[in-house]
């Protein structure tokens, strides 16, 4: 769980970083904006690994991900089929729901805007929950409390 004091410090640092923002981009930084088909494939692979771990077939596996990660079956299918793009909020729920390590999560986040950063408030909350392997419902509550966006319906 993230404390108010921790979030206050992270928010202050994020505000300082925004005030010092540079609008120039290096060629290396541009690589993260290229269309990348590898991320949906990795998500599909992680889903299949979860199916095997729990001894279910592909179709019930979607329902299992819905329970564990609070990601609807339709959204997961559209993401894997590349009908919609992968967002960081999708990855927050996916990685926390599947209790991934930070290294496993960063394999996915590296393909979606860069690795998790402790200076970003939303990333900081995700890092905290990946370390503690805490409940996805508590994560969604704290995300809404600190970031102001609801991750569930």
């Amino acid at each position: 769980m993230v404390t108010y004091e921790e979030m206050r410090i992270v928010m202050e640092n994020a505000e300082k970083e925004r005030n010092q923002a540079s609008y120039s981009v290096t060629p290396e930084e541009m690589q993260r904006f290229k269309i990348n088909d590898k991320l949906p494939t990795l998500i599909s692979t992680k889903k299949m690994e979860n199916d095997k771990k729990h001894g279910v077939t592909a179709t019930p596996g979607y329902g299992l991900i819905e329970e564990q990660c609070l990601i609807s079956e339709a959204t997961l299918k559209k993401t894997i089929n590349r009908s919609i793009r992968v967002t960081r909020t999708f990855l927050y729920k996916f990685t926390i729901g599947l209790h991934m390590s930070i290294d496993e999560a960063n394999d996915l986040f590296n393909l979606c805007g860069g690795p998790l950063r402790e200076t970003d408030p939303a990333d900081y909350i995700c890092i905290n929950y990946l370390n503690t392997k805490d409940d996805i419902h508590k994560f969604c509550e704290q995300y809404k409390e600190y970031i102001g966006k609801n991750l569930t319906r």
Side-chain angles (χ1 to χ4, degrees):
M1 238 172 132
V2 179
T3 65
Y4 284 105
E5 184 60 27
E6 287 176 327
M7 277 311 290
R8 185 185 62 74
I9 292 168
V10 171
M11 295 272 204
E12 285 174 4
N13 291 337
E15 185 62 32
K16 288 177 190 174
E17 195 174 284
R18 271 192 292 271
N19 291 336
Q20 298 172 352
S22 171
Y23 295 104
S24 61
V25 180
T26 66
E28 293 82 26
E29 291 172 325
M30 281 302 294
Q31 292 302 315
R32 73 169 88 156
F33 297 107
K34 288 175 81 175
I35 301 294
N36 193 332
D37 284 346
K38 190 175 179 183
L39 187 54
T41 304
L42 282 175
I43 291 169
S44 177
T45 302
K46 293 290 184 187
K47 183 224 173 269
M48 288 188 291
E49 289 171 4
N50 191 56
D51 293 350
K52 282 184 183 176
K53 177 181 172 185
H54 292 283
V56 297
T57 58
T59 304
Y62 288 105
L64 186 60
I65 294 286
E66 190 167 7
E67 288 175 27
Q68 292 177 306
C69 304
L70 303 180
I71 296 171
S72 74
E73 188 174 323
T75 300
L76 182 60
K77 285 181 178 179
K78 288 177 184 177
T79 301
I80 291 171
N81 293 330
R82 296 164 178 81
S83 300
I84 59 175
R85 71 181 185 88
V86 181
T87 63
R88 286 182 83 81
T89 54
F90 174 93
L91 290 179
Y92 293 148
K93 295 192 307 184
F94 190 72
T95 57
I96 291 169
L98 294 182
H99 301 292
M100 291 184 190
S101 69
I102 291 189
D103 290 335
E104 287 178 298
N106 273 331
D107 288 343
L108 300 173
F109 280 101
N110 281 329
L111 300 172
C112 185
L116 291 167
R117 300 176 310 275
E118 288 192 358
T119 57
D120 181 86
D123 284 0
Y124 182 80
I125 296 169
C126 182
I127 291 168
N128 183 281
Y129 275 80
L130 289 170
N131 282 330
T132 61
K133 306 280 189 224
D134 216 345
D135 185 77
I136 186 73
H137 297 285
K138 289 180 184 177
F139 167 76
C140 291
E141 289 171 13
Q142 282 211 318
Y143 190 90
K144 181 171 174 44
E145 180 180 347
Y146 292 118
I147 307 303
K149 294 180 182 173
N150 197 0
L151 295 180
T152 57
R153 292 183 201 178

